[in-house]
Amino acid sequence: MNHLPDFLTTARGALFDLDGVIVDTAKYHYQAWKRLANELRFDFTELDNERLKGVSRMRSLDILLEIGKFDIGEALRERMSILKDNWYVEYISRMSEDEILSGAREYIQYLRSQGVKTALGSASRNAPLILEKLRITDLFDAIIDGNCVTHAKPDPEVFLRGAEALGLPPESCVVYEDAEAGVEAAHRAGMKAVGIGTAEALPEADFIVASLGELLGDHAAVL
Ligand code: BG6
Ligand code: MG
């Protein structure tokens, strides 16, 4: 690809969201949420699922319960989130390394070969399992996930912690995100955001590509 923006070519750190950027786990989240909705006797569509992208597990459950018009207590809410997560883990445990999205592994490897430090910045508490399934744990100098942050995106915590773990100032890091909340989190952290998707879905992103592979351009040939 020609004409990469300066902020991309000069960045010293790269912070990657996981779900929707490196792997398409949305379909597994959808299956598990739909299974929960159906157990509760209401339907949950793929369009509904769009609202859950980049959103924390408990907030996702609240949106789902809102759709089903369920008002439940804290203890039951906790049990439902565990039920959903057990199903989700069952699905992602069957994932193989070829489910990594096009060009993601190669792009991250390319950045590392250029001396760029790399970190994961994901809301998911299942991130370590997913990285292991894709066999890409070693591609990251730091892993910041849902197990170690207090505030979910659009709060900037996950990315600020990522930059800190890499030993870099936030403004020298670039974030790769597929969700609006993640783009907002990047901006609030003082970082530029590359949107993975479309300009319509991510109007605030500083640069848009359909996949990480697109950023490899001519470098693809030398890898
Ligand atoms: C985000 C996903 O990466 O992680 C959300 O986009 C998900 O859909 C969130 O709810 C939390 O994931 P998990 O695996 O901890 O339930
Ligand atoms: Mg995402």
Side-chain angles (χ1 to χ4, degrees), residues 140-158:
F140 300 97
D141 298 299
I143 293 172
I144 313 293
D145 62 25
N147 300 297
C148 42
V149 294
T150 318
H151 305 292
K153 300 169 189 174
D155 189 282
E157 183 186 2
V158 66

Side-chain angles (χ1 to χ4, degrees), residues 17 19 29 33 52-57 60 84-85 88 122-126:
D17 174 48
D19 298 315
H29 279 296
W33 286 127
L52 308 189
K53 287 189 179 170
V55 174
S56 75
R57 191 184 303 172
S60 297
K84 180 268 171 180
D85 190 55
Y88 178 65
S122 166
S124 175
R125 285 193 253 159
N126 291 301

